[in-house]
Amino acid sequence: MKTRTVSKMIRGKRVTDGAGVRLVRSLGTEGLEQLDPFLMLDEFRSDDPGDYIAGFPDHPHRGFETVTYMLAGLMEHADNHGNSGTLRGGGVQWMTAGRGIVHSEMPKQENSLIWGFQLWINLPAANKMMTPRYQNIEPEDVPLVKRGDGALVRVIAGVADGATGPVRGVITAPLYLDVTLPPRGVYEHELPQTHSAFTYLFQGDAEVGGIAVKQTALAAFGDDGDGVRITAGPEGARFLLLAAKKLNEPVARYGPFVMNTRDELQQAFEDYRTGNF
Ligand code: FE
């Protein structure tokens, strides 16, 4: 396997979003605005309710998918089509916003740790206006592979270490893994040329493509190989590994709307304003 080099390495940035939730944003900042088809990655992690209790009251989305992966705590979700549910530690919600939803994402707890990630993945032009769709995955339905070398691999989407993730039928054919490596452990994964890939380190430290990465670092891989390799440091490492098929389409983006042209963005605002989501 020829391993891909790192094309860009950025550190997560502290931002406030929703009604006042403190989080760390890596992808989707000036450091790296997007990595086709990935648009944004946030990590929220706090045991101080002041950092999260305000949540994300009603807001719209159109033209892409939002993926929430919880490590700890409870998050309640409700939308304008009557869907609702509670996400708990280890669970995943893969929401295809398509032509539009208005929803809220609120912590269902008043104290203790809440920890998780939200990823945004773009949809191709042909699917931006599709009917909204959910895949709600319970924690026990995410395969956990315990390898002989001590590595733990949670497979949310795609295939890795003999396990297939529960998220199915996503247009960009994503790989979404949560990998824990023991000290000096090595993780390798083959990827097709069609796919962009990145890793986000959230515990310990690691080396990727000859570059040392620390907590909240996001390393985007180049297209110069047929796989990736991540090597844990002396403390071990835990990271997300993401890959998905590039769309190679123009992106017109404003806040919660991600379309191909400015006219389509205008239309999204108009449809939201007139209650047509
Ligand atoms: Fe949302």
Side-chain angles (χ1 to χ4, degrees):
M1 185 181 83
K2 183 183 184 300
T3 57
R4 297 185 182 197
T5 58
V6 170
S7 61
K8 185 108 188 181
M9 211 277 283
I10 55 168
R11 288 298 291 277
K13 187 182 159 185
R14 293 191 176 279
V15 300
T16 302
D17 206 344
V21 178
R22 291 196 182 89
L23 42 84
V24 172
R25 181 163 296 162
S26 45
L27 191 60
T29 61
E30 55 274 26
L32 187 58
E33 287 182 357
Q34 60 166 326
L35 181 71
D36 181 21
F38 300 108
L39 300 162
M40 193 187 84
L41 180 69
D42 286 344
E43 178 181 7
F44 46 93
R45 177 184 192 173
S46 178
D47 56 10
D48 175 358
D51 288 342
Y52 62 75
I53 205 74
F56 301 87
D58 276 351
H59 60 278
H61 294 287
R62 172 181 279 184
F64 61 104
E65 307 188 85
T66 69
V67 182
T68 308
Y69 173 39
M70 297 292 288
L71 294 181
L74 295 171
M75 187 80 92
E76 193 164 43
H77 168 267
D79 77 10
N80 64 328
H81 298 279
N83 302 295
S84 64
T86 303
L87 265 159
R88 53 200 172 97
V92 181
Q93 182 190 69
W94 199 290
M95 184 186 85
T96 307
R99 68 170 309 282
I101 60 120
V102 180
H103 74 163
S104 61
E105 297 151 285
M106 303 297 289
K108 203 181 179 179
Q109 61 186 54
E110 284 167 2
N111 50 49
S112 76
L113 178 68
I114 193 160
W115 188 9
F117 304 92
Q118 187 165 97
L119 175 75
W120 288 11
I121 306 187
N122 209 353
L123 284 169
N127 301 88
K128 282 192 178 295
M129 296 298 278
M130 70 186 277
T131 304
R133 185 182 73 182
Y134 289 94
Q135 295 189 60
N136 292 308
I137 311 294
E138 297 299 329
E140 50 275 16
D141 294 327
V142 177
L144 170 61
V145 180
K146 296 175 181 174
R147 295 201 322 196
D149 63 356
L152 301 175
V153 185
R154 288 176 173 80
V155 186
I156 293 162
V159 179
D161 298 282
T164 302
V167 174
R168 303 288 162 84
V170 178
I171 294 133
T172 45
L175 174 77
Y176 192 149
L177 307 179
D178 167 4
V179 180
T180 307
L181 288 181
R184 311 288 182 195
V186 178
Y187 195 75
E188 288 187 337
H189 194 91
E190 284 186 23
L191 291 170
Q193 289 293 334
T194 49
H195 280 49
S196 294
F198 72 86
T199 184
Y200 176 76
L201 189 93
F202 59 96
Q203 271 182 347
D205 51 50
E207 181 254 293
V208 188
I211 296 171
V213 293
K214 293 193 181 309
Q215 220 167 290
T216 83
L218 183 149
F221 293 100
D223 298 329
D224 52 351
D226 39 34
V228 296
R229 180 189 295 133
I230 296 135
T231 306
E235 311 289 320
R238 188 172 180 188
F239 53 87
L240 303 180
L241 178 60
L242 272 298
K245 197 175 172 187
K246 283 179 228 183
L247 299 178
N248 296 308
E249 290 181 358
V251 174
R253 170 178 185 173
Y254 191 85
F257 309 124
V258 185
M259 305 303 290
N260 297 104
T261 68
R262 288 182 73 87
D263 282 356
E264 289 165 354
L265 270 187
Q266 204 73 48
Q267 189 63 50
F269 273 103
E270 188 61 15
D271 288 349
Y272 175 52
R273 199 181 58 80
T274 54
N276 285 306
F277 262 40

